[in-house]
Amino acid sequence: MGDSQNPRNEPNKTQRTDSNDTSLEHIESIFVVDNDPAVCTFMSMFLEKQGYTVNTAEDGLQALTALEGQRPDVIFIDLVMPFISGEKLCQILRSQRRFDQTYCIVLSAISSEEEIDYISYGFDACIAKGPLKKLGGIIVEVLALLGKEITHDT
């Protein structure tokens, strides 16, 4: 039966069907795309403290260039950015098979102001930006749902 939130009837990344996929248990590398340097700094410091390898980009165009040589396990993407929007960036990444097993997560203030159909853009989850102290806890919860138990140690 099709998912009304998923018009392409493709499995969400959390519903992986490949029995050889072990990425759920092995999230190691994370990429953050956000034009706010404070958010990039916070995410890098917070996630590195949790044991992840983290790379960042300040906009979608910079992200595409940086991602040419890598395939992170998770990508956090802001929606409103210069050059290439978060929606467009996610659609570009989803058109490349090498990102089929990568989780793409919206991380945007706009998602707290209006309802976003993030699944139609190819995202797996959506996190509304808020106070950084609370944001860390939400990120921990989302990553735990993706398959890696981590400790919240801020």
Side-chain angles (χ1 to χ4, degrees), residues 44-133:
S44 289
M45 291 175 60
F46 180 78
L47 292 167
E48 286 171 357
K49 192 174 184 180
Q50 303 300 321
Y52 296 101
T53 301
V54 181
N55 291 297
T56 64
E58 294 179 3
D59 60 61
L61 190 58
Q62 189 182 73
L64 287 175
T65 301
L67 288 167
E68 284 179 9
Q70 57 181 302
R71 192 202 61 81
D73 300 309
V74 177
I75 305 175
F76 288 96
I77 304 173
D78 188 11
L79 290 178
V80 180
M81 296 184 294
F83 307 117
I84 298 176
S85 71
E87 295 100 337
K88 184 66 175 173
L89 175 61
C90 188
Q91 290 170 340
I92 292 169
L93 296 175
R94 289 295 183 222
S95 72
Q96 300 177 35
R97 290 194 52 81
R98 67 190 180 100
F99 293 109
D100 282 353
Q101 298 299 313
T102 299
Y103 293 95
C104 292
I105 301 172
V106 172
L107 180 63
S108 186
I110 196 168
S111 62
S112 66
E113 298 169 8
E114 56 187 72
E115 191 171 318
I116 305 289
D117 185 11
Y118 63 90
I119 292 174
S120 70
Y121 296 124
F123 289 101
D124 299 293
C126 182
I127 298 174
K129 286 182 188 173
L132 295 182
K133 272 199 175 269

Side-chain angles (χ1 to χ4, degrees), residues 12-62:
N12 293 333
K13 296 298 176 247
T14 54
Q15 299 170 339
R16 295 174 200 270
T17 56
D18 182 357
S19 61
N20 294 325
D21 176 42
T22 58
S23 61
L24 287 173
E25 295 84 27
H26 297 95
I27 296 171
E28 297 174 0
S29 62
I30 296 177
F31 199 91
V32 178
V33 188
D34 199 302
N35 62 320
D36 184 340
V39 172
C40 284
T41 299
F42 168 77
M43 292 288 288
S44 289
M45 291 175 60
F46 180 78
L47 292 167
E48 286 171 357
K49 192 174 184 180
Q50 303 300 321
Y52 296 101
T53 301
V54 181
N55 291 297
T56 64
E58 294 179 3
D59 60 61
L61 190 58
Q62 189 182 73

